Amino acid sequence: MALVSWIKLSDREKLAILQRFDQFRHWHSLDEKRYCLVCGEIITGREIQVLMDTRGNRSLRIICPTKYCDAIPIEWVWPTDDVLIAIAMVEAERNWLCLIKRAGRAMHAYQRNTTSSTISRIRPKPPFG
C-alpha cells in the first residue's frame, strides 16, 4: 500500500498550497520559476508535485517535479541573473573537463597505436620458404 499519493488540484488550490508551504520565497503565480539546487533544473509552480500522506494524518508536502529528485522549497531559489550565470559557468566548466578527458583518452589511444605500429615495423620479417 502506498504511503503517499499525488493529488490533482485546481490552479487556485495549488497556488495557495505553494504560498503556504514555501516559507522561503513567495509565489505570485504558478508560472513563476525556481532553480532546484539539488537536480539543477528550472521548475515552475505548475510542475511542482503535491503529495498527500495516505496514513492517518493525511498531511501535504510539495517536492521538485524532476524524476528522482525530491527537493523541497528550501532547496529552490529564484533564477536570478547571478544564479543563471553561476549555472552556466558550472556547466561550461563541466563541458571543458569532459573535453579534456576525451582528449586525454584520444592521446593515450593514439600513443598506444603509434607505439604498437612502430614496434611491428622494427621486427624483421620471417624468411620465405
Side-chain angles (χ1 to χ4, degrees):
M1 185 170 120
L3 300 177
V4 292
S5 65
W6 308 105
I7 59 174
K8 194 160 176 88
L9 302 164
S10 70
D11 287 354
R12 185 179 213 166
E13 292 170 320
K14 190 168 195 177
L15 182 58
I17 286 173
L18 289 175
Q19 290 170 337
R20 189 173 78 202
F21 283 83
D22 190 346
Q23 302 168 8
F24 309 97
R25 285 153 214 94
H26 186 71
W27 289 86
H28 298 285
S29 93
L30 293 178
D31 295 321
E32 286 185 47
K33 296 177 181 178
R34 301 291 187 269
Y35 174 73
C36 179
L37 296 170
V38 175
C39 67
E41 294 294 323
I42 293 181
I43 58 176
T44 68
R46 292 190 188 286
E47 298 168 322
I48 291 171
Q49 301 293 317
V50 179
L51 300 172
M52 179 184 290
D53 185 343
T54 58
R55 296 173 288 195
N57 62 4
R58 302 184 74 74
S59 62
L60 295 177
R61 66 186 178 120
I62 55 177
I63 63 168
C64 179
T66 306
K67 192 173 186 176
Y68 306 117
C69 183
D70 59 357
I72 58 175
I74 196 170
E75 298 163 313
W76 306 332
V77 296
W78 282 301
T80 61
D81 288 345
D82 292 340
V83 169
L84 295 176
I85 289 168
I87 294 166
M89 289 174 66
V90 167
E91 188 63 28
E93 186 173 318
R94 184 179 302 134
N95 290 340
W96 177 251
L97 289 173
C98 287
L99 286 173
I100 290 171
K101 287 179 187 176
R102 289 173 67 190
R105 285 193 293 264
M107 287 299 295
H108 184 70
Y110 174 77
Q111 289 170 345
R112 201 174 35 222
N113 289 340
T114 57
T115 303
S116 65
S117 63
T118 304
I119 292 171
S120 66
R121 277 188 257 132
I122 294 172
R123 293 184 188 149
K125 293 184 179 180
F128 296 140

